[in-house]
Amino acid sequence: MTPKRLRLFGAAAAIVLVAAPIAVAVAQTPMDDPLDARDAKRLDRMEKVVRELRDIVFKGQKTGVPVVVEPADTDSRLGDLSTRLSDLEATLKRVNGSLDSTTHDLDQARRDNAALRAQLKSLGDRLTADEQKMAEAAQAAQAAAQAASPPTPAEPPPPADPRAAAAAANADFAKARQMMLSGDYDSAEKAFSAFVTTYPDTPKTPEARYWWGKTLSVRGDYVKAAGAYIGAIRGWPQTAWAPDAVVELARSLVQLKKSPDACQALAELPRRYPKAPPAIKERAATVKLQAKCT
């Protein structure tokens, strides 16, 4: 053995020689009061340490081999605790990471819900606006239908001579037409309105409705104008003014923001009146662009 090992061996032997009598004396010394549980445990630990040291000394004496002292049980437990603490720290890190991810997902879900609510509100506002527009269009169509069929007042008793009645109708039509040609659209509008009311079934009545629609268009009354044009082209008459009445009807419908109806009327023009003058066809093309027909 080296001097250093001899010194360690001698120190251990001394501790054993000193501690052994003490332990025996303690064990043999009578005590007035019994030991409590804690003191008993401490005494057991001391005895265990003494026995271990004695075994170490005797083992060194017999073999002469350096004795390797195993780490105390406390160090092992401390190592276990350290390992457990490390595991707990790793678990806490994973839990914190999971909580961060969950918080991020919740925030994203809140943002998505807010965006969805905004979209639903926008859709609701658009539906309300569309319903209002549809109601306005229905009112305009109803007004146009009423204008196309004005109430017929009590007719005056017909003249005894049918030829005299026809002559009177022609004279009233000529007066209304002359008012329009002279630029007196207000008087012409009243005259043609009175004509279609007084003479609802004469050969001149459809044309009177056409000219009545013209006076209404000049005044910007497109609702009544559309009704007048519809009455004029009912049955698609083969007359010189009928193609222009179709174009004027479509133009009035565009002004009333009823482009699909305008496009439908313009689609009938080449089929009903294939020989319409070029000027009418050019005007129809212009209105078709305004209506954005496909």
Side-chain angles (χ1 to χ4, degrees), residues 44 76 85 92 94 100 109 111 126 131 226 251 264-265 278:
D44 290 340
S76 177
L85 286 174
L92 287 175
R94 289 195 298 271
D100 292 341
R111 288 192 292 270
R126 289 173 59 185
E131 289 176 354
R251 192 168 69 88
Q264 185 177 359

mmCIF file with all atom_site columns, all heavy atoms in Angstrom, residues 44 76 85 92 94 100 109 111 126 131 226 251 264-265 278:
data_model
loop_
_atom_site.group_PDB
_atom_site.id
_atom_site.type_symbol
_atom_site.label_atom_id
_atom_site.label_alt_id
_atom_site.label_comp_id
_atom_site.label_asym_id
_atom_site.label_entity_id
_atom_site.label_seq_id
_atom_site.pdbx_PDB_ins_code
_atom_site.Cartn_x
_atom_site.Cartn_y
_atom_site.Cartn_z
_atom_site.occupancy
_atom_site.B_iso_or_equiv
_atom_site.pdbx_formal_charge
_atom_site.auth_seq_id
_atom_site.auth_comp_id
_atom_site.auth_asym_id
_atom_site.auth_atom_id
_atom_site.pdbx_PDB_model_num
ATOM 1   N N   . ASP A 1 44  ? -30.249 3.917  14.352  1.00 0.00 ? 44  ASP A N   1
ATOM 2   C CA  . ASP A 1 44  ? -30.112 2.824  13.383  1.00 0.00 ? 44  ASP A CA  1
ATOM 3   C C   . ASP A 1 44  ? -29.161 3.215  12.253  1.00 0.00 ? 44  ASP A C   1
ATOM 4   O O   . ASP A 1 44  ? -28.356 2.417  11.786  1.00 0.00 ? 44  ASP A O   1
ATOM 5   C CB  . ASP A 1 44  ? -31.480 2.453  12.819  1.00 0.00 ? 44  ASP A CB  1
ATOM 6   C CG  . ASP A 1 44  ? -32.351 1.771  13.872  1.00 0.00 ? 44  ASP A CG  1
ATOM 7   O OD1 . ASP A 1 44  ? -31.803 1.264  14.861  1.00 0.00 ? 44  ASP A OD1 1
ATOM 8   O OD2 . ASP A 1 44  ? -33.602 1.765  13.654  1.00 0.00 ? 44  ASP A OD2 1
ATOM 9   N N   . SER A 1 76  ? -27.241 8.849  -4.027  1.00 0.00 ? 76  SER A N   1
ATOM 10  C CA  . SER A 1 76  ? -28.061 8.169  -5.039  1.00 0.00 ? 76  SER A CA  1
ATOM 11  C C   . SER A 1 76  ? -29.449 8.783  -5.125  1.00 0.00 ? 76  SER A C   1
ATOM 12  O O   . SER A 1 76  ? -29.982 9.011  -6.207  1.00 0.00 ? 76  SER A O   1
ATOM 13  C CB  . SER A 1 76  ? -28.132 6.679  -4.717  1.00 0.00 ? 76  SER A CB  1
ATOM 14  O OG  . SER A 1 76  ? -28.985 6.019  -5.649  1.00 0.00 ? 76  SER A OG  1
ATOM 15  N N   . LEU A 1 85  ? -36.307 15.906 -11.413 1.00 0.00 ? 85  LEU A N   1
ATOM 16  C CA  . LEU A 1 85  ? -36.495 17.344 -11.666 1.00 0.00 ? 85  LEU A CA  1
ATOM 17  C C   . LEU A 1 85  ? -36.260 17.684 -13.138 1.00 0.00 ? 85  LEU A C   1
ATOM 18  O O   . LEU A 1 85  ? -36.973 18.489 -13.739 1.00 0.00 ? 85  LEU A O   1
ATOM 19  C CB  . LEU A 1 85  ? -35.546 18.158 -10.784 1.00 0.00 ? 85  LEU A CB  1
ATOM 20  C CG  . LEU A 1 85  ? -35.915 18.239 -9.299  1.00 0.00 ? 85  LEU A CG  1
ATOM 21  C CD1 . LEU A 1 85  ? -34.819 18.954 -8.526  1.00 0.00 ? 85  LEU A CD1 1
ATOM 22  C CD2 . LEU A 1 85  ? -37.250 18.967 -9.116  1.00 0.00 ? 85  LEU A CD2 1
ATOM 23  N N   . LEU A 1 92  ? -42.705 20.195 -18.237 1.00 0.00 ? 92  LEU A N   1
ATOM 24  C CA  . LEU A 1 92  ? -43.263 21.560 -18.178 1.00 0.00 ? 92  LEU A CA  1
ATOM 25  C C   . LEU A 1 92  ? -43.015 22.325 -19.473 1.00 0.00 ? 92  LEU A C   1
ATOM 26  O O   . LEU A 1 92  ? -43.879 23.074 -19.939 1.00 0.00 ? 92  LEU A O   1
ATOM 27  C CB  . LEU A 1 92  ? -42.649 22.317 -16.993 1.00 0.00 ? 92  LEU A CB  1
ATOM 28  C CG  . LEU A 1 92  ? -43.139 21.903 -15.602 1.00 0.00 ? 92  LEU A CG  1
ATOM 29  C CD1 . LEU A 1 92  ? -42.352 22.638 -14.519 1.00 0.00 ? 92  LEU A CD1 1
ATOM 30  C CD2 . LEU A 1 92  ? -44.635 22.207 -15.458 1.00 0.00 ? 92  LEU A CD2 1
ATOM 31  N N   . ARG A 1 94  ? -42.771 20.998 -22.458 1.00 0.00 ? 94  ARG A N   1
ATOM 32  C CA  . ARG A 1 94  ? -43.721 20.497 -23.454 1.00 0.00 ? 94  ARG A CA  1
ATOM 33  C C   . ARG A 1 94  ? -45.120 21.031 -23.207 1.00 0.00 ? 94  ARG A C   1
ATOM 34  O O   . ARG A 1 94  ? -45.846 21.396 -24.143 1.00 0.00 ? 94  ARG A O   1
ATOM 35  C CB  . ARG A 1 94  ? -43.714 18.965 -23.430 1.00 0.00 ? 94  ARG A CB  1
ATOM 36  C CG  . ARG A 1 94  ? -42.455 18.341 -23.982 1.00 0.00 ? 94  ARG A CG  1
ATOM 37  C CD  . ARG A 1 94  ? -42.673 16.849 -24.254 1.00 0.00 ? 94  ARG A CD  1
ATOM 38  N NE  . ARG A 1 94  ? -42.992 16.117 -23.038 1.00 0.00 ? 94  ARG A NE  1
ATOM 39  C CZ  . ARG A 1 94  ? -42.086 15.561 -22.238 1.00 0.00 ? 94  ARG A CZ  1
ATOM 40  N NH1 . ARG A 1 94  ? -40.788 15.683 -22.532 1.00 0.00 ? 94  ARG A NH1 1
ATOM 41  N NH2 . ARG A 1 94  ? -42.451 14.898 -21.156 1.00 0.00 ? 94  ARG A NH2 1
ATOM 42  N N   . ASP A 1 100 ? -48.959 27.280 -25.542 1.00 0.00 ? 100 ASP A N   1
ATOM 43  C CA  . ASP A 1 100 ? -48.728 28.362 -26.509 1.00 0.00 ? 100 ASP A CA  1
ATOM 44  C C   . ASP A 1 100 ? -49.416 28.061 -27.836 1.00 0.00 ? 100 ASP A C   1
ATOM 45  O O   . ASP A 1 100 ? -50.040 28.933 -28.453 1.00 0.00 ? 100 ASP A O   1
ATOM 46  C CB  . ASP A 1 100 ? -47.225 28.559 -26.725 1.00 0.00 ? 100 ASP A CB  1
ATOM 47  C CG  . ASP A 1 100 ? -46.540 29.116 -25.485 1.00 0.00 ? 100 ASP A CG  1
ATOM 48  O OD1 . ASP A 1 100 ? -47.253 29.677 -24.630 1.00 0.00 ? 100 ASP A OD1 1
ATOM 49  O OD2 . ASP A 1 100 ? -45.308 28.974 -25.370 1.00 0.00 ? 100 ASP A OD2 1
ATOM 50  N N   . ALA A 1 109 ? -58.868 31.222 -34.213 1.00 0.00 ? 109 ALA A N   1
ATOM 51  C CA  . ALA A 1 109 ? -60.299 30.913 -34.309 1.00 0.00 ? 109 ALA A CA  1
ATOM 52  C C   . ALA A 1 109 ? -61.144 32.142 -34.032 1.00 0.00 ? 109 ALA A C   1
ATOM 53  O O   . ALA A 1 109 ? -62.165 32.370 -34.700 1.00 0.00 ? 109 ALA A O   1
ATOM 54  C CB  . ALA A 1 109 ? -60.647 29.795 -33.322 1.00 0.00 ? 109 ALA A CB  1
ATOM 55  N N   . ARG A 1 111 ? -60.243 35.239 -34.617 1.00 0.00 ? 111 ARG A N   1
ATOM 56  C CA  . ARG A 1 111 ? -60.149 36.109 -35.806 1.00 0.00 ? 111 ARG A CA  1
ATOM 57  C C   . ARG A 1 111 ? -61.017 35.573 -36.950 1.00 0.00 ? 111 ARG A C   1
ATOM 58  O O   . ARG A 1 111 ? -61.691 36.344 -37.646 1.00 0.00 ? 111 ARG A O   1
ATOM 59  C CB  . ARG A 1 111 ? -58.688 36.228 -36.246 1.00 0.00 ? 111 ARG A CB  1
ATOM 60  C CG  . ARG A 1 111 ? -57.823 37.066 -35.319 1.00 0.00 ? 111 ARG A CG  1
ATOM 61  C CD  . ARG A 1 111 ? -56.479 37.384 -35.960 1.00 0.00 ? 111 ARG A CD  1
ATOM 62  N NE  . ARG A 1 111 ? -55.655 36.209 -36.103 1.00 0.00 ? 111 ARG A NE  1
ATOM 63  C CZ  . ARG A 1 111 ? -54.797 35.773 -35.176 1.00 0.00 ? 111 ARG A CZ  1
ATOM 64  N NH1 . ARG A 1 111 ? -54.656 36.437 -34.051 1.00 0.00 ? 111 ARG A NH1 1
ATOM 65  N NH2 . ARG A 1 111 ? -54.060 34.697 -35.389 1.00 0.00 ? 111 ARG A NH2 1
ATOM 66  N N   . ARG A 1 126 ? -76.475 43.125 -48.311 1.00 0.00 ? 126 ARG A N   1
ATOM 67  C CA  . ARG A 1 126 ? -76.695 43.019 -49.758 1.00 0.00 ? 126 ARG A CA  1
ATOM 68  C C   . ARG A 1 126 ? -78.064 42.428 -50.071 1.00 0.00 ? 126 ARG A C   1
ATOM 69  O O   . ARG A 1 126 ? -78.753 42.873 -50.995 1.00 0.00 ? 126 ARG A O   1
ATOM 70  C CB  . ARG A 1 126 ? -75.598 42.159 -50.372 1.00 0.00 ? 126 ARG A CB  1
ATOM 71  C CG  . ARG A 1 126 ? -74.225 42.838 -50.406 1.00 0.00 ? 126 ARG A CG  1
ATOM 72  C CD  . ARG A 1 126 ? -73.148 41.900 -50.872 1.00 0.00 ? 126 ARG A CD  1
ATOM 73  N NE  . ARG A 1 126 ? -73.422 41.383 -52.206 1.00 0.00 ? 126 ARG A NE  1
ATOM 74  C CZ  . ARG A 1 126 ? -72.693 40.460 -52.818 1.00 0.00 ? 126 ARG A CZ  1
ATOM 75  N NH1 . ARG A 1 126 ? -71.647 39.952 -52.188 1.00 0.00 ? 126 ARG A NH1 1
ATOM 76  N NH2 . ARG A 1 126 ? -73.006 40.039 -54.034 1.00 0.00 ? 126 ARG A NH2 1
ATOM 77  N N   . GLU A 1 131 ? -83.535 43.105 -52.060 1.00 0.00 ? 131 GLU A N   1
ATOM 78  C CA  . GLU A 1 131 ? -84.983 43.029 -51.850 1.00 0.00 ? 131 GLU A CA  1
ATOM 79  C C   . GLU A 1 131 ? -85.642 44.388 -52.079 1.00 0.00 ? 131 GLU A C   1
ATOM 80  O O   . GLU A 1 131 ? -86.724 44.474 -52.656 1.00 0.00 ? 131 GLU A O   1
ATOM 81  C CB  . GLU A 1 131 ? -85.267 42.534 -50.432 1.00 0.00 ? 131 GLU A CB  1
ATOM 82  C CG  . GLU A 1 131 ? -84.936 41.058 -50.227 1.00 0.00 ? 131 GLU A CG  1
ATOM 83  C CD  . GLU A 1 131 ? -85.129 40.632 -48.786 1.00 0.00 ? 131 GLU A CD  1
ATOM 84  O OE1 . GLU A 1 131 ? -85.405 41.530 -47.946 1.00 0.00 ? 131 GLU A OE1 1
ATOM 85  O OE2 . GLU A 1 131 ? -85.015 39.430 -48.494 1.00 0.00 ? 131 GLU A OE2 1
ATOM 86  N N   . ALA A 1 226 ? -92.768 53.710 -71.219 1.00 0.00 ? 226 ALA A N   1
ATOM 87  C CA  . ALA A 1 226 ? -92.646 52.277 -71.474 1.00 0.00 ? 226 ALA A CA  1
ATOM 88  C C   . ALA A 1 226 ? -94.022 51.642 -71.627 1.00 0.00 ? 226 ALA A C   1
ATOM 89  O O   . ALA A 1 226 ? -94.241 50.790 -72.512 1.00 0.00 ? 226 ALA A O   1
ATOM 90  C CB  . ALA A 1 226 ? -91.875 51.612 -70.324 1.00 0.00 ? 226 ALA A CB  1
ATOM 91  N N   . ARG A 1 251 ? -85.000 51.624 -74.745 1.00 0.00 ? 251 ARG A N   1
ATOM 92  C CA  . ARG A 1 251 ? -84.294 52.762 -74.135 1.00 0.00 ? 251 ARG A CA  1
ATOM 93  C C   . ARG A 1 251 ? -84.950 53.167 -72.813 1.00 0.00 ? 251 ARG A C   1
ATOM 94  O O   . ARG A 1 251 ? -84.275 53.489 -71.829 1.00 0.00 ? 251 ARG A O   1
ATOM 95  C CB  . ARG A 1 251 ? -84.267 53.934 -75.112 1.00 0.00 ? 251 ARG A CB  1
ATOM 96  C CG  . ARG A 1 251 ? -83.335 55.064 -74.712 1.00 0.00 ? 251 ARG A CG  1
ATOM 97  C CD  . ARG A 1 251 ? -83.151 56.040 -75.861 1.00 0.00 ? 251 ARG A CD  1
ATOM 98  N NE  . ARG A 1 251 ? -84.373 56.778 -76.119 1.00 0.00 ? 251 ARG A NE  1
ATOM 99  C CZ  . ARG A 1 251 ? -84.698 57.938 -75.500 1.00 0.00 ? 251 ARG A CZ  1
ATOM 100 N NH1 . ARG A 1 251 ? -83.864 58.440 -74.596 1.00 0.00 ? 251 ARG A NH1 1
ATOM 101 N NH2 . ARG A 1 251 ? -85.810 58.565 -75.790 1.00 0.00 ? 251 ARG A NH2 1
ATOM 102 N N   . GLN A 1 264 ? -84.173 41.796 -74.064 1.00 0.00 ? 264 GLN A N   1
ATOM 103 C CA  . GLN A 1 264 ? -85.159 40.878 -74.638 1.00 0.00 ? 264 GLN A CA  1
ATOM 104 C C   . GLN A 1 264 ? -85.948 41.554 -75.758 1.00 0.00 ? 264 GLN A C   1
ATOM 105 O O   . GLN A 1 264 ? -86.209 40.948 -76.808 1.00 0.00 ? 264 GLN A O   1
ATOM 106 C CB  . GLN A 1 264 ? -86.102 40.390 -73.541 1.00 0.00 ? 264 GLN A CB  1
ATOM 107 C CG  . GLN A 1 264 ? -87.091 39.328 -74.016 1.00 0.00 ? 264 GLN A CG  1
ATOM 108 C CD  . GLN A 1 264 ? -87.950 38.812 -72.881 1.00 0.00 ? 264 GLN A CD  1
ATOM 109 O OE1 . GLN A 1 264 ? -87.795 39.236 -71.722 1.00 0.00 ? 264 GLN A OE1 1
ATOM 110 N NE2 . GLN A 1 264 ? -88.862 37.912 -73.188 1.00 0.00 ? 264 GLN A NE2 1
ATOM 111 N N   . ALA A 1 265 ? -86.318 42.827 -75.543 1.00 0.00 ? 265 ALA A N   1
ATOM 112 C CA  . ALA A 1 265 ? -87.049 43.561 -76.584 1.00 0.00 ? 265 ALA A CA  1
ATOM 113 C C   . ALA A 1 265 ? -86.172 43.763 -77.826 1.00 0.00 ? 265 ALA A C   1
ATOM 114 O O   . ALA A 1 265 ? -86.636 43.584 -78.965 1.00 0.00 ? 265 ALA A O   1
ATOM 115 C CB  . ALA A 1 265 ? -87.519 44.909 -76.042 1.00 0.00 ? 265 ALA A CB  1
ATOM 116 N N   . PRO A 1 278 ? -81.616 51.309 -91.618 1.00 0.00 ? 278 PRO A N   1
ATOM 117 C CA  . PRO A 1 278 ? -80.291 51.266 -90.979 1.00 0.00 ? 278 PRO A CA  1
ATOM 118 C C   . PRO A 1 278 ? -80.177 52.189 -89.768 1.00 0.00 ? 278 PRO A C   1
ATOM 119 O O   . PRO A 1 278 ? -79.494 51.847 -88.792 1.00 0.00 ? 278 PRO A O   1
ATOM 120 C CB  . PRO A 1 278 ? -79.336 51.688 -92.103 1.00 0.00 ? 278 PRO A CB  1
ATOM 121 C CG  . PRO A 1 278 ? -80.069 51.338 -93.365 1.00 0.00 ? 278 PRO A CG  1
ATOM 122 C CD  . PRO A 1 278 ? -81.523 51.567 -93.077 1.00 0.00 ? 278 PRO A CD  1
#
